[in-house]
Short mmCIF file of all heavy atoms in Angstrom, two decimals:
data_model
loop_
_atom_site.label_atom_id
_atom_site.label_comp_id
_atom_site.label_asym_id
_atom_site.label_seq_id
_atom_site.Cartn_x
_atom_site.Cartn_y
_atom_site.Cartn_z
N VAL A 11 0.84 -1.20 0.00
CA VAL A 11 0.00 0.00 0.00
C VAL A 11 0.87 1.25 0.00
O VAL A 11 0.63 2.20 -0.75
CB VAL A 11 -0.94 0.00 1.23
CG1 VAL A 11 -1.82 1.24 1.23
CG2 VAL A 11 -1.81 -1.25 1.23
N LEU A 12 1.90 1.26 0.86
CA LEU A 12 2.78 2.42 0.92
C LEU A 12 3.51 2.63 -0.40
O LEU A 12 3.68 3.76 -0.85
CB LEU A 12 3.80 2.25 2.06
CG LEU A 12 3.21 2.13 3.47
CD1 LEU A 12 4.31 1.91 4.49
CD2 LEU A 12 2.39 3.36 3.82
N ARG A 13 3.92 1.53 -1.02
CA ARG A 13 4.61 1.64 -2.31
C ARG A 13 3.68 2.21 -3.37
O ARG A 13 4.08 3.01 -4.21
CB ARG A 13 5.14 0.26 -2.72
CG ARG A 13 6.08 0.29 -3.91
CD ARG A 13 6.57 -1.09 -4.28
NE ARG A 13 7.21 -1.77 -3.17
CZ ARG A 13 6.69 -2.79 -2.51
NH1 ARG A 13 5.51 -3.27 -2.87
NH2 ARG A 13 7.33 -3.35 -1.51
N HIS A 14 2.42 1.80 -3.31
CA HIS A 14 1.43 2.31 -4.26
C HIS A 14 1.21 3.81 -4.05
O HIS A 14 1.12 4.58 -5.01
CB HIS A 14 0.10 1.55 -4.09
CG HIS A 14 -0.97 2.02 -5.02
ND1 HIS A 14 -1.10 1.54 -6.30
CD2 HIS A 14 -1.97 2.92 -4.86
CE1 HIS A 14 -2.13 2.13 -6.89
NE2 HIS A 14 -2.68 2.97 -6.03
N LEU A 15 1.14 4.22 -2.77
CA LEU A 15 0.92 5.64 -2.48
C LEU A 15 2.11 6.50 -2.84
O LEU A 15 1.97 7.67 -3.18
CB LEU A 15 0.60 5.81 -0.99
CG LEU A 15 -0.72 5.19 -0.51
CD1 LEU A 15 -0.85 5.31 0.99
CD2 LEU A 15 -1.90 5.86 -1.20
N GLU A 16 3.31 5.92 -2.75
CA GLU A 16 4.52 6.67 -3.07
C GLU A 16 4.84 6.69 -4.55
O GLU A 16 5.77 7.35 -4.97
CB GLU A 16 5.71 6.09 -2.30
CG GLU A 16 5.61 6.26 -0.80
CD GLU A 16 6.67 5.49 -0.06
OE1 GLU A 16 7.46 4.79 -0.74
OE2 GLU A 16 6.72 5.56 1.18
N GLY A 17 4.04 5.96 -5.35
CA GLY A 17 4.29 5.89 -6.78
C GLY A 17 3.90 7.17 -7.48
O GLY A 17 3.54 8.18 -6.86
N PRO A 18 3.96 7.18 -8.85
CA PRO A 18 3.60 8.37 -9.61
C PRO A 18 2.19 8.83 -9.27
O PRO A 18 1.25 8.04 -9.26
CB PRO A 18 3.70 7.90 -11.07
CG PRO A 18 4.62 6.74 -11.02
CD PRO A 18 4.38 6.07 -9.70
N ALA A 19 2.03 10.10 -8.97
CA ALA A 19 0.75 10.62 -8.50
C ALA A 19 -0.16 11.06 -9.62
O ALA A 19 -1.34 11.33 -9.39
CB ALA A 19 1.00 11.82 -7.56
N GLU A 20 0.37 11.17 -10.89
CA GLU A 20 -0.46 11.73 -11.94
C GLU A 20 -1.70 10.89 -12.19
O GLU A 20 -2.81 11.39 -12.29
CB GLU A 20 0.34 11.84 -13.25
CG GLU A 20 1.46 12.87 -13.20
CD GLU A 20 2.71 12.35 -12.51
OE1 GLU A 20 2.69 11.19 -12.08
OE2 GLU A 20 3.68 13.11 -12.39
N GLY A 21 -1.49 9.56 -12.27
CA GLY A 21 -2.62 8.70 -12.58
C GLY A 21 -3.65 8.72 -11.49
O GLY A 21 -4.85 8.72 -11.74
N ARG A 22 -3.20 8.76 -10.20
CA ARG A 22 -4.18 8.73 -9.11
C ARG A 22 -4.96 10.02 -9.04
O ARG A 22 -6.16 10.03 -8.85
CB ARG A 22 -3.45 8.48 -7.78
CG ARG A 22 -2.80 7.14 -7.67
CD ARG A 22 -2.50 6.82 -6.21
NE ARG A 22 -1.75 7.88 -5.58
CZ ARG A 22 -0.42 7.96 -5.63
NH1 ARG A 22 0.26 7.06 -6.29
NH2 ARG A 22 0.22 8.94 -5.01
N SER A 23 -4.27 11.17 -9.20
CA SER A 23 -4.99 12.43 -9.07
C SER A 23 -5.96 12.60 -10.21
O SER A 23 -7.05 13.14 -10.04
CB SER A 23 -3.98 13.58 -9.04
OG SER A 23 -3.19 13.58 -10.22
N ALA A 24 -5.57 12.12 -11.41
CA ALA A 24 -6.47 12.25 -12.53
C ALA A 24 -7.69 11.39 -12.35
O ALA A 24 -8.81 11.76 -12.69
CB ALA A 24 -5.74 11.87 -13.83
N ALA A 25 -7.50 10.19 -11.76
CA ALA A 25 -8.63 9.29 -11.58
C ALA A 25 -9.52 9.75 -10.45
O ALA A 25 -10.73 9.55 -10.47
CB ALA A 25 -8.12 7.88 -11.31
N ALA A 26 -8.92 10.39 -9.42
CA ALA A 26 -9.70 10.75 -8.26
C ALA A 26 -10.43 12.07 -8.43
O ALA A 26 -11.41 12.34 -7.75
CB ALA A 26 -8.80 10.83 -7.03
N THR A 27 -9.97 12.96 -9.34
CA THR A 27 -10.56 14.28 -9.49
C THR A 27 -11.66 14.24 -10.52
O THR A 27 -11.43 13.85 -11.67
CB THR A 27 -9.49 15.30 -9.92
OG1 THR A 27 -8.42 15.26 -8.97
CG2 THR A 27 -10.07 16.71 -9.99
N PRO A 28 -12.90 14.60 -10.19
CA PRO A 28 -13.97 14.59 -11.17
C PRO A 28 -13.73 15.64 -12.24
O PRO A 28 -13.12 16.68 -12.00
CB PRO A 28 -15.22 14.89 -10.33
CG PRO A 28 -14.70 15.61 -9.13
CD PRO A 28 -13.35 15.07 -8.86
N SER A 29 -14.22 15.35 -13.45
CA SER A 29 -14.04 16.29 -14.54
C SER A 29 -14.86 17.53 -14.30
O SER A 29 -15.96 17.49 -13.72
CB SER A 29 -14.45 15.63 -15.86
OG SER A 29 -15.78 15.19 -15.79
N ALA A 30 -14.36 18.69 -14.74
CA ALA A 30 -15.04 19.96 -14.52
C ALA A 30 -16.23 20.07 -15.45
O ALA A 30 -16.27 19.48 -16.52
CB ALA A 30 -14.06 21.10 -14.76
N PRO A 31 -17.26 20.85 -15.07
CA PRO A 31 -18.41 21.06 -15.96
C PRO A 31 -17.96 21.70 -17.26
O PRO A 31 -16.94 22.40 -17.33
CB PRO A 31 -19.32 21.97 -15.14
CG PRO A 31 -18.89 21.81 -13.73
CD PRO A 31 -17.44 21.51 -13.78
N ALA A 32 -18.76 21.51 -18.29
CA ALA A 32 -18.40 22.03 -19.61
C ALA A 32 -18.31 23.54 -19.60
O ALA A 32 -17.46 24.14 -20.27
CB ALA A 32 -19.40 21.55 -20.66
N GLU A 33 -19.22 24.23 -18.90
CA GLU A 33 -19.24 25.69 -18.89
C GLU A 33 -19.05 26.18 -17.47
O GLU A 33 -19.92 26.77 -16.86
CB GLU A 33 -20.55 26.21 -19.48
CG GLU A 33 -20.75 25.80 -20.95
CD GLU A 33 -22.05 26.36 -21.51
OE1 GLU A 33 -22.77 27.02 -20.73
OE2 GLU A 33 -22.32 26.14 -22.68
N ALA A 34 -17.89 25.93 -16.89
CA ALA A 34 -17.63 26.36 -15.53
C ALA A 34 -17.42 27.86 -15.51
O ALA A 34 -16.80 28.42 -16.41
CB ALA A 34 -16.40 25.66 -14.98
N PRO A 35 -17.93 28.56 -14.47
CA PRO A 35 -17.73 30.01 -14.38
C PRO A 35 -16.25 30.33 -14.19
O PRO A 35 -15.49 29.54 -13.66
CB PRO A 35 -18.55 30.41 -13.15
CG PRO A 35 -18.65 29.16 -12.35
CD PRO A 35 -18.70 28.04 -13.35
N ALA A 36 -15.90 31.52 -14.66
CA ALA A 36 -14.51 31.93 -14.54
C ALA A 36 -14.11 32.03 -13.09
O ALA A 36 -14.89 32.47 -12.24
CB ALA A 36 -14.29 33.28 -15.23
N ALA A 37 -12.91 31.60 -12.80
CA ALA A 37 -12.43 31.63 -11.42
C ALA A 37 -12.13 33.06 -11.00
O ALA A 37 -11.67 33.87 -11.82
CB ALA A 37 -11.17 30.78 -11.28
N PRO A 38 -12.43 33.40 -9.73
CA PRO A 38 -12.13 34.76 -9.27
C PRO A 38 -10.63 34.99 -9.24
O PRO A 38 -9.84 34.05 -9.15
CB PRO A 38 -12.72 34.78 -7.85
CG PRO A 38 -12.73 33.36 -7.44
CD PRO A 38 -13.00 32.58 -8.69
N PRO A 39 -10.23 36.25 -9.35
CA PRO A 39 -8.78 36.53 -9.34
C PRO A 39 -8.17 36.08 -8.03
O PRO A 39 -8.82 36.13 -6.98
CB PRO A 39 -8.70 38.06 -9.50
CG PRO A 39 -10.03 38.55 -9.04
CD PRO A 39 -11.02 37.49 -9.43
N PRO A 40 -6.94 35.61 -8.06
CA PRO A 40 -6.30 35.12 -6.84
C PRO A 40 -6.08 36.25 -5.85
O PRO A 40 -5.85 37.40 -6.25
CB PRO A 40 -4.97 34.54 -7.33
CG PRO A 40 -4.70 35.27 -8.61
CD PRO A 40 -6.04 35.55 -9.22
N PRO A 41 -6.18 35.96 -4.54
CA PRO A 41 -5.94 36.99 -3.54
C PRO A 41 -4.48 37.38 -3.52
O PRO A 41 -3.62 36.64 -4.01
CB PRO A 41 -6.34 36.30 -2.23
CG PRO A 41 -6.13 34.86 -2.50
CD PRO A 41 -6.48 34.66 -3.95
N PRO A 42 -4.20 38.58 -2.99
CA PRO A 42 -2.79 38.99 -2.93
C PRO A 42 -1.99 38.03 -2.08
O PRO A 42 -2.52 37.42 -1.15
CB PRO A 42 -2.86 40.38 -2.29
CG PRO A 42 -4.16 40.40 -1.57
CD PRO A 42 -5.09 39.57 -2.39
#
């Protein structure tokens, strides 16, 4: 399990993050 968690994170983050809506509102400007 630890070896799996320490492996490349790209595949896990892509699989775990839901896709954004097609017409998502523009993000507010970042705070200072």
Side-chain angles (χ1 to χ4, degrees):
V11 180
L12 299 178
R13 191 180 304 109
H14 180 85
L15 294 175
E16 294 171 358
E20 292 80 1
R22 295 198 307 274
S23 58
T27 305
S29 58
E33 298 181 359

